């Protein structure tokens, strides 16, 4: 071949090919799909390349299970001549990210390798993309459970993760009890479900330290830091900090703790001129 550069070393050759593939609809590359009984399931692996060994193990197990596996093909955390220059590395990473999204579009299912429960920003974005496309998502490690508050006309509120399903059920039951005697958006439903790493969740646990709770009041979207607004004036902001505390702790203890937290709040926000 009379070329100044061998094919695998032509500047930009691989990047252009990756970009072309990433921009091509999956259906155009794969052709018409046959009946699912006539072809193996296609599984795309997602996860940090820090778990390169674990990604390989997942590839092995999925292959043995009879699945076609689409996986990350480059570990850019390891030195290599192809990405030793910063500009080339940045360009290649963008092309590989686009290529991996094509792999997600082409698959039947996504398997997230989340060793130790870790899921980085890039993987989180890929999970969100998979959900956007309607691809089922599995995880190699447990991701826990969530409490989900569905409010007609408003965004759902998610709390989690809870390690055990029974704990999520306890919190959900506590929030449902409060709905019997307090204002809330008509049609609000509280249920439990799988923790979704690609979605925002409120912290699963409210602090029981009065001063920490008082400081959290300033950032509470459901009240003014005193508990007076729960939840009658702002039913669209349910569940607020007080609601979550009541769902988490026994009623008598929650009421006493909230009173001490309100006293701490007043102390922390006292005007020095009043002393």
């Amino acid at each position: 071949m009379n070329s100044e550069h061998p094919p695998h070393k032509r500047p930009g050759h691989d990047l252009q090919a990756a970009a072309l593939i990433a921009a091509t609809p999956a259906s155009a590359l794969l052709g018409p799909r046959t009946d699912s009984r006539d072809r193996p399931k296609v599984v795309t692996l997602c996860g940090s390349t820090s778990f390169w060994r674990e990604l390989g193990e997942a590839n092995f197990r999925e292959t043995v299970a009879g699945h076609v596996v689409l996986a990350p093909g480059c570990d850019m955390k390891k030195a290599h001549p192809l990405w030793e220059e910063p500009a080339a590395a940045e360009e290649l990473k963008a092309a590989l990210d686009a290529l991996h999204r094509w792999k997600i579009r082409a698959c039947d299912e996504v398997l997230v390798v989340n060793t130790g429960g870790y899921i980085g920003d890039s993987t989180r974005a890929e999970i969100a993309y998979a959900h956007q496309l309607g691809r089922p998502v599995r995880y190699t490690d447990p991701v826990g459970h969530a409490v989900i508050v569905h409010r007609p006309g408003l965004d759902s509120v998610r709390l989690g993760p809870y390690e055990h399903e029974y704990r999520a059920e306890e919190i959900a039951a506590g929030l449902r009890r409060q709905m019997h005697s307090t204002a809330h958006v008509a049609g609000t439903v509280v249920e439990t479900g799988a923790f979704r790493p690609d979605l925002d969740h409120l912290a699963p646990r409210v602090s029981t330290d009065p001063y920490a709770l008082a400081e959290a009041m300033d950032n509470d979207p459901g009240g003014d830091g005193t508990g007076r607004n729960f939840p009658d004036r702002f039913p669209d902001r349910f569940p607020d900090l007080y609601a979550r505390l009541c769902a988490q702790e026994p009623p008598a203890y929650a009421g006493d703790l909230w009173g001490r937290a309100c006293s701490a709040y007043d102390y922390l926000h006292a005007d020095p001129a009043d002393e």
Side-chain angles (χ1 to χ4, degrees):
M1 178 179 294
N2 295 325
S3 174
E4 182 180 353
H5 300 280
H8 65 285
K9 296 213 182 239
R10 289 177 191 166
H13 178 81
D14 294 330
L15 299 177
Q16 293 170 5
L20 177 61
I21 292 173
T24 304
S27 58
L29 290 169
L30 294 179
R33 291 208 163 185
T34 59
D35 188 279
S36 59
R37 292 170 297 182
D38 300 327
R39 65 171 180 83
K41 178 189 294 185
V42 179
V43 177
T44 292
L45 303 184
C46 293
S48 170
T49 54
S50 298
F51 303 136
W52 196 252
R53 184 182 65 80
E54 290 83 354
L55 284 163
E57 178 69 15
N59 195 331
F60 166 74
R61 291 182 178 275
E62 292 298 311
T63 300
V64 169
H67 302 154
V68 173
V69 181
L70 305 178
C74 296
D75 181 5
M76 294 187 65
K77 290 183 172 64
K78 295 182 178 178
H80 192 282
L82 284 178
W83 52 79
E84 62 184 2
E85 295 295 332
E90 185 175 349
E91 187 179 1
L92 178 59
K93 184 181 184 308
L96 291 176
D97 287 345
L99 182 61
H100 202 72
R101 293 212 168 199
W102 178 86
K103 293 178 182 179
I104 295 172
R105 293 204 302 273
C107 75
D108 299 302
E109 186 177 73
V110 167
L111 175 60
V112 179
V113 178
N114 61 317
T115 304
Y118 175 79
I119 296 175
D121 292 339
S122 295
T123 303
R124 196 180 304 274
E126 290 170 353
I127 296 170
Y129 186 63
H131 281 297
Q132 179 186 341
L133 296 176
R135 302 294 189 269
V137 179
R138 291 186 288 124
Y139 300 86
T140 57
D141 283 25
V143 291
H145 306 273
V147 174
I148 311 159
V149 182
H150 298 286
R151 304 168 300 167
L154 295 167
D155 293 335
S156 295
V157 176
R158 301 178 68 94
L159 292 81
Y162 297 93
E163 182 178 359
H164 302 291
E165 185 176 10
Y166 78 84
R167 185 55 177 153
E169 290 287 358
E170 287 177 347
I171 298 298
L175 292 175
R176 293 189 199 106
R177 284 194 297 270
Q178 294 175 64
M179 290 170 59
H180 291 301
S181 57
T182 56
H184 54 272
V185 176
T188 294
V189 175
V190 182
E191 64 179 10
T192 60
F195 177 71
R196 286 271 304 274
D198 57 307
L199 299 179
D200 291 332
H201 289 68
L202 294 174
R205 182 171 176 80
V206 176
S207 174
T208 55
D209 176 81
Y211 280 92
L213 191 56
E215 292 176 351
M217 290 179 182
D218 284 329
N219 299 316
D220 179 20
D224 62 357
T226 66
R228 290 191 298 267
N229 293 335
F230 166 71
D232 302 301
R233 285 180 56 195
F234 300 106
D236 60 320
R237 295 179 179 177
F238 176 88
D240 73 352
L241 192 63
Y242 182 69
R244 293 165 55 200
L245 178 65
C246 289
Q248 174 182 298
E249 305 296 339
Y253 178 64
D256 176 68
L257 178 58
W258 190 258
R260 288 186 285 136
C262 288
S263 296
Y265 181 91
D266 291 340
Y267 174 76
L268 293 172
H269 294 76
D271 189 341
D274 295 336
E275 296 182 356

